[in-house]
Amino acid sequence: MIQRRLYIYIVAAASLGMLLIGLVNLGTTALDQLFRATPIYTNPRDSYAGFGAVTLVGLPVWGIHWWIAQRLARRNLDERASALRRLYLYAVLAATGVATAIFARGFLEHAAGFLLGTSNDGPSIARAFWGTVVLFALWLYHFRTAAVDRTIAGESGNSATLRRWYAYGLLVLGLAFLLFGARNLLQQVWILLVDSSQTIVPGSLVPSAMATMLTGLVVFGFHLQWTSRAPLAADDRSSTLRAVQGFVALAASVALALFGASQLSYYALARVLGIDHPGGVGGDILVAVAGPAATVVVFSLAWVWIRRQLTTDA
């Protein structure tokens, strides 16, 4: 029984990876030709042949083995509740979730650059959008499959632990994207306000910061809401992983907030002591403190919020 499950889900995972690689790169090649852009790969025909072959192999192999897995799950409740099945589902969710976030961030960055007039790279927008759509579709399918399994067979023990690893891992990733994106965006806005010579130009960090923050907001917001709903919230409230991710996020926020405060204190004390260019700063001191000030503001707010969340869970 275990050997059969191992075989089915290992083959399904490997072939699904092939399918995703093939689909994403086939779409990328087609979009490059559509936009008459410089292709990522030297020979488009060779790309079609190579990634077409990967897709043609991956699709039927994954389809057959996943059909077998689904048929067994419908017939046997133990099969649906097995830890190996949940391992496959949550591993796929984690991989496609992270990849979707990366592609979505790229799409938002290029789109924001286009709207702000700092970029007109249409092919990059299209490529990132295609990758996001493909990966999100597979993520959504497996997410719904896992939800159906939980409803029918329940989730406890190792299966629940696997779900927590996925949920709180993506929660931390989303929070990191959100906080660092917000910090960088605040820094850039500060610089634009205090230095009249600064403008949003091609290569500016503003689109990148906006994309990172928005991606993090979606990933973090979704997983926070999902893990806060019953019955997951009640089941996870006393879990070690939930507490660990909270304290890891708290420790990082505290450390970064204190580091930013120490930098601000350094600049202030240096100016009081008559140092014209503390830390080798050659320009306006208000521009130099933009980074530390943004760090203090963003991560201090995170510090307060995470502490409240931990207090609520206690």
Side-chain angles (χ1 to χ4, degrees):
M1 184 73 72
I2 294 178
Q3 289 85 347
R4 182 186 65 190
R5 289 174 187 162
L6 278 171
Y7 165 75
I8 290 174
Y9 291 115
I10 287 174
V11 175
S15 55
L16 180 61
M18 292 181 64
L19 175 60
L20 285 173
I21 291 171
L23 286 176
V24 170
N25 284 282
L26 280 175
T28 296
T29 303
L31 289 168
D32 284 339
Q33 288 195 302
L34 179 64
F35 284 93
R36 301 183 183 278
T38 302
I40 296 178
Y41 305 101
T42 306
N43 189 335
R45 291 184 180 180
D46 187 58
S47 297
Y48 281 127
F51 293 117
V54 170
T55 304
L56 289 174
V57 171
L59 178 59
V61 173
W62 176 74
I64 291 170
H65 285 80
W66 184 241
W67 175 77
I68 294 172
Q70 289 292 78
R71 187 182 65 173
L72 292 172
R74 284 191 293 268
R75 291 180 176 181
N76 190 329
L77 192 63
D78 290 338
E79 191 73 33
R80 189 182 290 275
S82 70
L84 282 174
R85 178 179 173 87
R86 302 301 169 89
L87 175 60
Y88 164 82
L89 287 172
Y90 290 121
V92 170
L93 283 173
T96 54
V98 172
T100 300
I102 293 172
F103 273 90
R105 184 202 166 280
F107 167 71
L108 291 172
E109 180 178 0
H110 291 300
F114 179 81
L115 293 175
L116 293 172
T118 64
S119 173
N120 59 355
D121 192 356
S124 293
I125 297 175
R127 285 194 294 262
F129 180 73
W130 169 251
T132 302
V133 169
V134 171
L135 289 161
F136 178 73
L138 267 295
W139 176 88
L140 182 61
Y141 172 76
H142 285 83
F143 185 83
R144 291 174 65 88
T145 301
V148 171
D149 284 357
R150 278 196 306 275
T151 301
I152 296 175
E155 198 167 57
S156 60
N158 292 333
S159 296
T161 300
L162 290 168
R163 190 245 312 146
R164 293 183 190 117
W165 274 107
Y166 160 73
Y168 295 116
L170 268 290
L171 197 67
V172 170
L173 176 68
L175 182 61
F177 270 46
L178 173 60
L179 294 180
F180 281 102
R183 181 263 180 201
N184 292 338
L185 181 60
L186 181 58
Q187 178 185 7
Q188 294 304 308
V189 171
W190 179 306
I191 292 173
L192 289 171
L193 290 175
V194 301
D195 188 352
S196 58
S197 66
Q198 294 290 326
T199 58
I200 301 177
V201 297
S204 169
L205 292 177
V206 172
S208 176
M210 290 177 61
T212 303
M213 184 183 70
L214 290 175
T215 302
L217 180 62
V218 172
V219 174
F220 173 72
F222 172 80
H223 288 86
L224 178 65
Q225 185 181 30
W226 177 49
T227 55
S228 299
R229 292 178 180 175
L232 297 185
D235 186 44
D236 288 358
R237 193 170 299 278
S238 60
S239 71
T240 302
L241 278 175
R242 181 181 176 92
V244 167
Q245 68 86 25
F247 281 107
V248 167
L250 178 64
S253 297
V254 170
L256 288 167
L258 294 178
F259 178 71
S262 69
Q263 286 184 300
L264 285 177
S265 300
Y266 164 71
Y267 285 125
L269 288 173
R271 292 306 294 268
V272 169
L273 294 173
I275 302 174
D276 294 329
H277 304 290
V281 174
D284 191 344
I285 190 66
L286 290 178
V287 174
V289 301
T295 300
V296 170
V297 171
V298 171
F299 288 98
S300 293
L301 291 174
W303 177 353
V304 173
W305 182 82
I306 295 170
R307 183 178 179 277
R308 287 183 178 178
Q309 291 295 108
L310 291 172
T311 302
T312 302
D313 287 347

